[in-house]
Amino acid sequence: MIFAERLCKSYKDIRALRDVSLTVKSGEICGILGPNGAGKSTLFKILCKLVTPDSGSFRIESIKKKPLGAIIEKPSLFEYLSAYENLLMLSRIQKAPSDQKTIEMALEEVGLSPERKDCVRNYSMGMKQRLSIAIALLNQPDCLILDEPFLGLDPLGMQSLRQLIQKLAHKDNLTILISSHLLDELSRTCDTLNVISKGEIIQSGTKDHILNLTSNTYVIRGKNLLKSMELKNRAAMIEGDYASLPLTAADAPNLLKSLVDEGIDITYFGSEMNLGQLYQSK
Amino acid sequence: MIALIRAELYMVFRQKRTYYGLAAILIIELFIMAGAWFQGNDIIDMILENLSQNFYLEGNLLNGHLVLYIVLNALWFNLPLIIMIIVSGFVTNEYKDKTLQTVLLQAVRKQDYILSKYIIAIIFTLIVLSLLMASASLLAYGIFGQGDLIVYINGLNFYESNEAFRRIGMAFMSGTLLMIFYSVTSITIAVVFKEMTITWILCALFLILNTLLLKIDFGSADSWFLPKLVDTWQYFFHYEIPWPAVHHNHILLLCYTLVFMGFGTFLFVKKDIG
């Protein structure tokens, strides 16, 4: 469990964090959503004890030698070593099991081949991300912090990383805190979400709650949209086979039903996330 | 801690830049040896000019001992900067590549990590100095052979071959202590400034100031002043070795080394990472 209370941090004149409080339970995946410079990395560095907060406190509930594993900002690896050697060296320095079988299993768990012997500098960004997760998981921590883990991954890479994170939380009961500015990926991966802007947590709750806050514009694609009276009455903006209109999540099923009743041939109906509005939604 | 030191040592010798550094040191040594051979000829010519009218000089005066003595003179002037550049890289490169963060995100204490860096710096310096000592001796004695050593310090001093060998060995050990001080200092500078180029510039500035201040007389404070410890190795070529001064300087240098190491460790533990 991760528990933080009223964390504050300033860098000279810039307030990076302001009264940030957060609780993440065991087995929960908590997302931190925020634009660049919102304070996500500073929060994570504090939780990882790399940076000392100006005020506030935090607690990582764990009896493990390494309570927390983390990737901060980007994968930082020993580029002149192979993936195997990276894991081997970082296991040895903390006296974690470093036999061949354990290291190979750690590589396989994140989908990397133990057969590959070349230097990490030849790896793609996705492979480096995976190796970083394997490093974060060394010594079996109870909590995992992943700062922008989806950065630079292709759709398949994102999918397999999402599955890995969900397995770690829901099967292995790890407490996981993830940051991203990709709401779509966070909403698919996390159980709860916190929105951070200008160093403050401005919204928090279940992912459905946060998604509802962003989803006040809906997009419809289909044929003969111009014939719909319902869309005209709701002052929708219609351009050919595309229409958009402001709509609450609660009202979305009513509109959909009306359009079907009017005989509109709908090929897509979905919400458009408005992050700008979300970041100012305090 | 031992596991950390072993892993760090493994990583130091897995990096190409370490070997480039070692190659640079050996190239410097070769140039110094070549210079020593020419300089040695000039020194012998000068001595012979003055002395041969009154004394009968027998044997080979331009021998391995004289070459090693001249090498020592040049080495302690040229070696510190390159050692400081290589050693400070052990820390600045980790800041640059952010691998420092990766290590500290593991179950590793900050003080253990930085102390292991200092220990690695000392081990590396010892390895470099041993390599230099071995290769310089091999070349000097192999090419020029052995013989008596003639040195000009407060007048002309002659040492028999065995005595010359003993004194050169002690001077080398004294110089090694100085090099250890420089490498420890470079780690501390790297901890304070983090950035590679700034660290290099400050290492060079530190050495230049040390050399400049060596020439200035500070009266009674002289014996406690860091730059005055730089040429302690020369004491081993005084006819009577001034042992109290040698011990005083070595103990003081050790204290300075520990103070720099303690300051760097304290700062590293206190400072935020990233």
PDB file of all heavy atoms in Angstrom, chain B residues 139-169:
ATOM      1  N   LEU B 139      60.659  -1.278 -18.995  1.00  0.00           N
ATOM      2  CA  LEU B 139      61.286  -0.572 -20.123  1.00  0.00           C
ATOM      3  C   LEU B 139      62.613   0.059 -19.712  1.00  0.00           C
ATOM      4  O   LEU B 139      63.628  -0.078 -20.415  1.00  0.00           O
ATOM      5  CB  LEU B 139      60.339   0.510 -20.654  1.00  0.00           C
ATOM      6  CG  LEU B 139      59.145   0.017 -21.472  1.00  0.00           C
ATOM      7  CD1 LEU B 139      58.165   1.142 -21.728  1.00  0.00           C
ATOM      8  CD2 LEU B 139      59.610  -0.568 -22.802  1.00  0.00           C
ATOM      9  N   ALA B 140      62.595   0.746 -18.546  1.00  0.00           N
ATOM     10  CA  ALA B 140      63.796   1.481 -18.122  1.00  0.00           C
ATOM     11  C   ALA B 140      64.953   0.527 -17.861  1.00  0.00           C
ATOM     12  O   ALA B 140      66.059   0.731 -18.384  1.00  0.00           O
ATOM     13  CB  ALA B 140      63.480   2.302 -16.879  1.00  0.00           C
ATOM     14  N   TYR B 141      64.682  -0.521 -17.063  1.00  0.00           N
ATOM     15  CA  TYR B 141      65.785  -1.446 -16.733  1.00  0.00           C
ATOM     16  C   TYR B 141      66.128  -2.319 -17.934  1.00  0.00           C
ATOM     17  O   TYR B 141      67.288  -2.691 -18.127  1.00  0.00           O
ATOM     18  CB  TYR B 141      65.424  -2.301 -15.516  1.00  0.00           C
ATOM     19  CG  TYR B 141      65.277  -1.479 -14.244  1.00  0.00           C
ATOM     20  CD1 TYR B 141      64.160  -1.631 -13.424  1.00  0.00           C
ATOM     21  CD2 TYR B 141      66.245  -0.549 -13.879  1.00  0.00           C
ATOM     22  CE1 TYR B 141      64.016  -0.873 -12.270  1.00  0.00           C
ATOM     23  CE2 TYR B 141      66.103   0.218 -12.730  1.00  0.00           C
ATOM     24  CZ  TYR B 141      64.990   0.056 -11.934  1.00  0.00           C
ATOM     25  OH  TYR B 141      64.851   0.810 -10.801  1.00  0.00           O
ATOM     26  N   GLY B 142      65.100  -2.668 -18.734  1.00  0.00           N
ATOM     27  CA  GLY B 142      65.321  -3.502 -19.918  1.00  0.00           C
ATOM     28  C   GLY B 142      66.204  -2.792 -20.937  1.00  0.00           C
ATOM     29  O   GLY B 142      67.112  -3.386 -21.516  1.00  0.00           O
ATOM     30  N   ILE B 143      65.923  -1.534 -21.169  1.00  0.00           N
ATOM     31  CA  ILE B 143      66.649  -0.803 -22.223  1.00  0.00           C
ATOM     32  C   ILE B 143      67.958  -0.205 -21.682  1.00  0.00           C
ATOM     33  O   ILE B 143      69.000  -0.287 -22.308  1.00  0.00           O
ATOM     34  CB  ILE B 143      65.755   0.311 -22.830  1.00  0.00           C
ATOM     35  CG1 ILE B 143      64.532  -0.311 -23.503  1.00  0.00           C
ATOM     36  CG2 ILE B 143      66.541   1.164 -23.829  1.00  0.00           C
ATOM     37  CD1 ILE B 143      63.473   0.674 -23.938  1.00  0.00           C
ATOM     38  N   PHE B 144      67.877   0.417 -20.483  1.00  0.00           N
ATOM     39  CA  PHE B 144      69.043   1.190 -19.989  1.00  0.00           C
ATOM     40  C   PHE B 144      69.864   0.462 -18.926  1.00  0.00           C
ATOM     41  O   PHE B 144      70.933   0.942 -18.535  1.00  0.00           O
ATOM     42  CB  PHE B 144      68.568   2.536 -19.434  1.00  0.00           C
ATOM     43  CG  PHE B 144      67.803   3.353 -20.451  1.00  0.00           C
ATOM     44  CD1 PHE B 144      66.426   3.432 -20.408  1.00  0.00           C
ATOM     45  CD2 PHE B 144      68.475   4.018 -21.462  1.00  0.00           C
ATOM     46  CE1 PHE B 144      65.718   4.166 -21.345  1.00  0.00           C
ATOM     47  CE2 PHE B 144      67.780   4.759 -22.402  1.00  0.00           C
ATOM     48  CZ  PHE B 144      66.399   4.828 -22.353  1.00  0.00           C
ATOM     49  N   GLY B 145      69.360  -0.650 -18.435  1.00  0.00           N
ATOM     50  CA  GLY B 145      70.099  -1.413 -17.424  1.00  0.00           C
ATOM     51  C   GLY B 145      70.127  -0.713 -16.073  1.00  0.00           C
ATOM     52  O   GLY B 145      69.453   0.301 -15.874  1.00  0.00           O
ATOM     53  N   GLN B 146      70.907  -1.294 -15.132  1.00  0.00           N
ATOM     54  CA  GLN B 146      70.977  -0.721 -13.790  1.00  0.00           C
ATOM     55  C   GLN B 146      72.320  -0.034 -13.586  1.00  0.00           C
ATOM     56  O   GLN B 146      73.252  -0.211 -14.362  1.00  0.00           O
ATOM     57  CB  GLN B 146      70.772  -1.805 -12.751  1.00  0.00           C
ATOM     58  CG  GLN B 146      69.372  -2.390 -12.807  1.00  0.00           C
ATOM     59  CD  GLN B 146      69.015  -3.154 -11.567  1.00  0.00           C
ATOM     60  OE1 GLN B 146      69.765  -3.187 -10.601  1.00  0.00           O
ATOM     61  NE2 GLN B 146      67.852  -3.776 -11.581  1.00  0.00           N
ATOM     62  N   GLY B 147      72.381   0.760 -12.530  1.00  0.00           N
ATOM     63  CA  GLY B 147      73.635   1.449 -12.208  1.00  0.00           C
ATOM     64  C   GLY B 147      73.379   2.415 -11.075  1.00  0.00           C
ATOM     65  O   GLY B 147      72.270   2.459 -10.537  1.00  0.00           O
ATOM     66  N   ASP B 148      74.366   3.197 -10.720  1.00  0.00           N
ATOM     67  CA  ASP B 148      74.175   4.169  -9.630  1.00  0.00           C
ATOM     68  C   ASP B 148      73.340   5.331 -10.125  1.00  0.00           C
ATOM     69  O   ASP B 148      73.345   5.672 -11.310  1.00  0.00           O
ATOM     70  CB  ASP B 148      75.531   4.683  -9.142  1.00  0.00           C
ATOM     71  CG  ASP B 148      76.329   3.569  -8.471  1.00  0.00           C
ATOM     72  OD1 ASP B 148      75.720   2.508  -8.197  1.00  0.00           O
ATOM     73  OD2 ASP B 148      77.533   3.751  -8.254  1.00  0.00           O
ATOM     74  N   LEU B 149      72.630   5.959  -9.153  1.00  0.00           N
ATOM     75  CA  LEU B 149      71.756   7.087  -9.507  1.00  0.00           C
ATOM     76  C   LEU B 149      72.407   8.384  -9.064  1.00  0.00           C
ATOM     77  O   LEU B 149      72.903   8.492  -7.932  1.00  0.00           O
ATOM     78  CB  LEU B 149      70.389   6.923  -8.820  1.00  0.00           C
ATOM     79  CG  LEU B 149      69.417   8.101  -8.949  1.00  0.00           C
ATOM     80  CD1 LEU B 149      69.001   8.310 -10.409  1.00  0.00           C
ATOM     81  CD2 LEU B 149      68.175   7.861  -8.094  1.00  0.00           C
ATOM     82  N   ILE B 150      72.408   9.331  -9.966  1.00  0.00           N
ATOM     83  CA  ILE B 150      72.940  10.648  -9.625  1.00  0.00           C
ATOM     84  C   ILE B 150      71.793  11.660  -9.739  1.00  0.00           C
ATOM     85  O   ILE B 150      71.087  11.711 -10.738  1.00  0.00           O
ATOM     86  CB  ILE B 150      74.133  10.998 -10.548  1.00  0.00           C
ATOM     87  CG1 ILE B 150      74.714  12.349 -10.186  1.00  0.00           C
ATOM     88  CG2 ILE B 150      73.776  10.952 -12.007  1.00  0.00           C
ATOM     89  CD1 ILE B 150      76.068  12.593 -10.841  1.00  0.00           C
ATOM     90  N   VAL B 151      71.568  12.384  -8.626  1.00  0.00           N
ATOM     91  CA  VAL B 151      70.423  13.306  -8.562  1.00  0.00           C
ATOM     92  C   VAL B 151      70.903  14.637  -7.995  1.00  0.00           C
ATOM     93  O   VAL B 151      71.736  14.667  -7.087  1.00  0.00           O
ATOM     94  CB  VAL B 151      69.327  12.718  -7.632  1.00  0.00           C
ATOM     95  CG1 VAL B 151      68.238  13.739  -7.370  1.00  0.00           C
ATOM     96  CG2 VAL B 151      68.725  11.472  -8.231  1.00  0.00           C
ATOM     97  N   TYR B 152      70.351  15.736  -8.518  1.00  0.00           N
ATOM     98  CA  TYR B 152      70.718  17.051  -7.976  1.00  0.00           C
ATOM     99  C   TYR B 152      69.575  17.592  -7.110  1.00  0.00           C
ATOM    100  O   TYR B 152      68.584  18.109  -7.604  1.00  0.00           O
ATOM    101  CB  TYR B 152      71.036  18.033  -9.110  1.00  0.00           C
ATOM    102  CG  TYR B 152      71.612  19.333  -8.592  1.00  0.00           C
ATOM    103  CD1 TYR B 152      72.990  19.474  -8.369  1.00  0.00           C
ATOM    104  CD2 TYR B 152      70.791  20.410  -8.270  1.00  0.00           C
ATOM    105  CE1 TYR B 152      73.519  20.646  -7.860  1.00  0.00           C
ATOM    106  CE2 TYR B 152      71.312  21.591  -7.766  1.00  0.00           C
ATOM    107  CZ  TYR B 152      72.674  21.717  -7.554  1.00  0.00           C
ATOM    108  OH  TYR B 152      73.197  22.868  -7.040  1.00  0.00           O
ATOM    109  N   ILE B 153      69.692  17.412  -5.776  1.00  0.00           N
ATOM    110  CA  ILE B 153      68.753  18.033  -4.831  1.00  0.00           C
ATOM    111  C   ILE B 153      69.605  18.580  -3.690  1.00  0.00           C
ATOM    112  O   ILE B 153      70.257  17.797  -2.980  1.00  0.00           O
ATOM    113  CB  ILE B 153      67.716  17.025  -4.277  1.00  0.00           C
ATOM    114  CG1 ILE B 153      66.770  16.576  -5.391  1.00  0.00           C
ATOM    115  CG2 ILE B 153      66.898  17.630  -3.136  1.00  0.00           C
ATOM    116  CD1 ILE B 153      65.743  15.555  -4.979  1.00  0.00           C
ATOM    117  N   ASN B 154      69.618  19.865  -3.481  1.00  0.00           N
ATOM    118  CA  ASN B 154      70.504  20.518  -2.499  1.00  0.00           C
ATOM    119  C   ASN B 154      71.960  20.074  -2.728  1.00  0.00           C
ATOM    120  O   ASN B 154      72.666  19.725  -1.785  1.00  0.00           O
ATOM    121  CB  ASN B 154      70.105  20.176  -1.049  1.00  0.00           C
ATOM    122  CG  ASN B 154      68.681  20.568  -0.756  1.00  0.00           C
ATOM    123  OD1 ASN B 154      68.175  21.534  -1.321  1.00  0.00           O
ATOM    124  ND2 ASN B 154      68.019  19.804   0.099  1.00  0.00           N
ATOM    125  N   GLY B 155      72.377  19.979  -3.947  1.00  0.00           N
ATOM    126  CA  GLY B 155      73.711  19.488  -4.267  1.00  0.00           C
ATOM    127  C   GLY B 155      73.619  18.132  -4.937  1.00  0.00           C
ATOM    128  O   GLY B 155      72.528  17.558  -5.034  1.00  0.00           O
ATOM    129  N   LEU B 156      74.745  17.634  -5.396  1.00  0.00           N
ATOM    130  CA  LEU B 156      74.723  16.343  -6.101  1.00  0.00           C
ATOM    131  C   LEU B 156      74.684  15.180  -5.119  1.00  0.00           C
ATOM    132  O   LEU B 156      75.427  15.142  -4.153  1.00  0.00           O
ATOM    133  CB  LEU B 156      75.965  16.219  -6.970  1.00  0.00           C
ATOM    134  CG  LEU B 156      75.894  16.801  -8.371  1.00  0.00           C
ATOM    135  CD1 LEU B 156      77.236  16.670  -9.057  1.00  0.00           C
ATOM    136  CD2 LEU B 156      74.806  16.098  -9.185  1.00  0.00           C
ATOM    137  N   ASN B 157      73.741  14.254  -5.348  1.00  0.00           N
ATOM    138  CA  ASN B 157      73.647  13.073  -4.490  1.00  0.00           C
ATOM    139  C   ASN B 157      73.854  11.824  -5.347  1.00  0.00           C
ATOM    140  O   ASN B 157      73.252  11.697  -6.415  1.00  0.00           O
ATOM    141  CB  ASN B 157      72.270  12.997  -3.836  1.00  0.00           C
ATOM    142  CG  ASN B 157      72.002  14.197  -2.948  1.00  0.00           C
ATOM    143  OD1 ASN B 157      72.832  14.569  -2.127  1.00  0.00           O
ATOM    144  ND2 ASN B 157      70.852  14.829  -3.135  1.00  0.00           N
ATOM    145  N   PHE B 158      74.705  10.944  -4.862  1.00  0.00           N
ATOM    146  CA  PHE B 158      74.933   9.669  -5.547  1.00  0.00           C
ATOM    147  C   PHE B 158      74.366   8.533  -4.703  1.00  0.00           C
ATOM    148  O   PHE B 158      74.562   8.508  -3.494  1.00  0.00           O
ATOM    149  CB  PHE B 158      76.451   9.429  -5.726  1.00  0.00           C
ATOM    150  CG  PHE B 158      77.076  10.342  -6.736  1.00  0.00           C
ATOM    151  CD1 PHE B 158      77.502  11.619  -6.379  1.00  0.00           C
ATOM    152  CD2 PHE B 158      77.238   9.926  -8.048  1.00  0.00           C
ATOM    153  CE1 PHE B 158      78.079  12.457  -7.313  1.00  0.00           C
ATOM    154  CE2 PHE B 158      77.820  10.767  -8.987  1.00  0.00           C
ATOM    155  CZ  PHE B 158      78.232  12.032  -8.621  1.00  0.00           C
ATOM    156  N   TYR B 159      73.608   7.648  -5.335  1.00  0.00           N
ATOM    157  CA  TYR B 159      73.072   6.485  -4.626  1.00  0.00           C
ATOM    158  C   TYR B 159      73.490   5.219  -5.364  1.00  0.00           C
ATOM    159  O   TYR B 159      73.363   5.156  -6.605  1.00  0.00           O
ATOM    160  CB  TYR B 159      71.547   6.540  -4.544  1.00  0.00           C
ATOM    161  CG  TYR B 159      71.036   7.822  -3.910  1.00  0.00           C
ATOM    162  CD1 TYR B 159      70.407   8.800  -4.679  1.00  0.00           C
ATOM    163  CD2 TYR B 159      71.199   8.053  -2.545  1.00  0.00           C
ATOM    164  CE1 TYR B 159      69.952   9.967  -4.101  1.00  0.00           C
ATOM    165  CE2 TYR B 159      70.750   9.233  -1.963  1.00  0.00           C
ATOM    166  CZ  TYR B 159      70.131  10.180  -2.755  1.00  0.00           C
ATOM    167  OH  TYR B 159      69.683  11.340  -2.193  1.00  0.00           O
ATOM    168  N   GLU B 160      73.889   4.255  -4.586  1.00  0.00           N
ATOM    169  CA  GLU B 160      74.243   2.966  -5.195  1.00  0.00           C
ATOM    170  C   GLU B 160      72.982   2.319  -5.749  1.00  0.00           C
ATOM    171  O   GLU B 160      71.861   2.627  -5.296  1.00  0.00           O
ATOM    172  CB  GLU B 160      74.878   2.054  -4.150  1.00  0.00           C
ATOM    173  CG  GLU B 160      76.325   2.412  -3.917  1.00  0.00           C
ATOM    174  CD  GLU B 160      76.997   1.463  -2.937  1.00  0.00           C
ATOM    175  OE1 GLU B 160      76.426   0.385  -2.674  1.00  0.00           O
ATOM    176  OE2 GLU B 160      78.067   1.809  -2.442  1.00  0.00           O
ATOM    177  N   SER B 161      73.158   1.404  -6.678  1.00  0.00           N
ATOM    178  CA  SER B 161      72.028   0.829  -7.420  1.00  0.00           C
ATOM    179  C   SER B 161      70.904   0.319  -6.506  1.00  0.00           C
ATOM    180  O   SER B 161      69.736   0.649  -6.709  1.00  0.00           O
ATOM    181  CB  SER B 161      72.529  -0.298  -8.301  1.00  0.00           C
ATOM    182  OG  SER B 161      71.490  -0.788  -9.075  1.00  0.00           O
ATOM    183  N   ASN B 162      71.249  -0.470  -5.466  1.00  0.00           N
ATOM    184  CA  ASN B 162      70.207  -1.034  -4.592  1.00  0.00           C
ATOM    185  C   ASN B 162      69.460   0.069  -3.839  1.00  0.00           C
ATOM    186  O   ASN B 162      68.230   0.021  -3.704  1.00  0.00           O
ATOM    187  CB  ASN B 162      70.828  -2.004  -3.578  1.00  0.00           C
ATOM    188  CG  ASN B 162      71.229  -3.285  -4.258  1.00  0.00           C
ATOM    189  OD1 ASN B 162      70.795  -3.565  -5.378  1.00  0.00           O
ATOM    190  ND2 ASN B 162      72.085  -4.056  -3.597  1.00  0.00           N
ATOM    191  N   GLU B 163      70.234   1.037  -3.348  1.00  0.00           N
ATOM    192  CA  GLU B 163      69.646   2.154  -2.607  1.00  0.00           C
ATOM    193  C   GLU B 163      68.752   2.986  -3.537  1.00  0.00           C
ATOM    194  O   GLU B 163      67.664   3.426  -3.157  1.00  0.00           O
ATOM    195  CB  GLU B 163      70.767   3.028  -2.007  1.00  0.00           C
ATOM    196  CG  GLU B 163      70.312   4.233  -1.212  1.00  0.00           C
ATOM    197  CD  GLU B 163      69.502   3.898   0.035  1.00  0.00           C
ATOM    198  OE1 GLU B 163      69.409   2.706   0.394  1.00  0.00           O
ATOM    199  OE2 GLU B 163      68.928   4.834   0.630  1.00  0.00           O
ATOM    200  N   ALA B 164      69.215   3.178  -4.762  1.00  0.00           N
ATOM    201  CA  ALA B 164      68.436   3.936  -5.750  1.00  0.00           C
ATOM    202  C   ALA B 164      67.096   3.240  -6.003  1.00  0.00           C
ATOM    203  O   ALA B 164      66.033   3.886  -6.033  1.00  0.00           O
ATOM    204  CB  ALA B 164      69.215   4.058  -7.047  1.00  0.00           C
ATOM    205  N   PHE B 165      67.136   1.919  -6.154  1.00  0.00           N
ATOM    206  CA  PHE B 165      65.921   1.134  -6.404  1.00  0.00           C
ATOM    207  C   PHE B 165      64.934   1.301  -5.248  1.00  0.00           C
ATOM    208  O   PHE B 165      63.741   1.500  -5.445  1.00  0.00           O
ATOM    209  CB  PHE B 165      66.299  -0.341  -6.595  1.00  0.00           C
ATOM    210  CG  PHE B 165      65.128  -1.200  -6.962  1.00  0.00           C
ATOM    211  CD1 PHE B 165      64.584  -1.155  -8.240  1.00  0.00           C
ATOM    212  CD2 PHE B 165      64.542  -2.041  -6.018  1.00  0.00           C
ATOM    213  CE1 PHE B 165      63.495  -1.939  -8.578  1.00  0.00           C
ATOM    214  CE2 PHE B 165      63.444  -2.827  -6.352  1.00  0.00           C
ATOM    215  CZ  PHE B 165      62.927  -2.780  -7.637  1.00  0.00           C
ATOM    216  N   ARG B 166      65.473   1.233  -3.999  1.00  0.00           N
ATOM    217  CA  ARG B 166      64.633   1.368  -2.796  1.00  0.00           C
ATOM    218  C   ARG B 166      63.984   2.760  -2.763  1.00  0.00           C
ATOM    219  O   ARG B 166      62.784   2.889  -2.511  1.00  0.00           O
ATOM    220  CB  ARG B 166      65.517   1.169  -1.552  1.00  0.00           C
ATOM    221  CG  ARG B 166      64.747   0.961  -0.256  1.00  0.00           C
ATOM    222  CD  ARG B 166      65.711   0.673   0.883  1.00  0.00           C
ATOM    223  NE  ARG B 166      66.418   1.873   1.331  1.00  0.00           N
ATOM    224  CZ  ARG B 166      65.974   2.664   2.304  1.00  0.00           C
ATOM    225  NH1 ARG B 166      64.865   2.391   2.923  1.00  0.00           N
ATOM    226  NH2 ARG B 166      66.662   3.734   2.657  1.00  0.00           N
ATOM    227  N   ARG B 167      64.761   3.778  -3.055  1.00  0.00           N
ATOM    228  CA  ARG B 167      64.247   5.149  -2.984  1.00  0.00           C
ATOM    229  C   ARG B 167      63.209   5.407  -4.087  1.00  0.00           C
ATOM    230  O   ARG B 167      62.202   6.071  -3.846  1.00  0.00           O
ATOM    231  CB  ARG B 167      65.404   6.154  -3.084  1.00  0.00           C
ATOM    232  CG  ARG B 167      66.181   6.246  -1.787  1.00  0.00           C
ATOM    233  CD  ARG B 167      67.415   7.101  -1.930  1.00  0.00           C
ATOM    234  NE  ARG B 167      68.197   7.080  -0.714  1.00  0.00           N
ATOM    235  CZ  ARG B 167      68.307   8.120   0.130  1.00  0.00           C
ATOM    236  NH1 ARG B 167      67.697   9.249  -0.124  1.00  0.00           N
ATOM    237  NH2 ARG B 167      69.050   8.020   1.222  1.00  0.00           N
ATOM    238  N   ILE B 168      63.461   4.879  -5.271  1.00  0.00           N
ATOM    239  CA  ILE B 168      62.493   5.055  -6.367  1.00  0.00           C
ATOM    240  C   ILE B 168      61.170   4.367  -5.992  1.00  0.00           C
ATOM    241  O   ILE B 168      60.082   4.912  -6.196  1.00  0.00           O
ATOM    242  CB  ILE B 168      63.063   4.507  -7.701  1.00  0.00           C
ATOM    243  CG1 ILE B 168      64.111   5.480  -8.237  1.00  0.00           C
ATOM    244  CG2 ILE B 168      61.959   4.302  -8.740  1.00  0.00           C
ATOM    245  CD1 ILE B 168      64.915   4.963  -9.408  1.00  0.00           C
ATOM    246  N   GLY B 169      61.267   3.179  -5.403  1.00  0.00           N
ATOM    247  CA  GLY B 169      60.070   2.446  -4.958  1.00  0.00           C
ATOM    248  C   GLY B 169      59.275   3.254  -3.952  1.00  0.00           C
ATOM    249  O   GLY B 169      58.040   3.379  -4.064  1.00  0.00           O
TER     250      GLY B 169
END
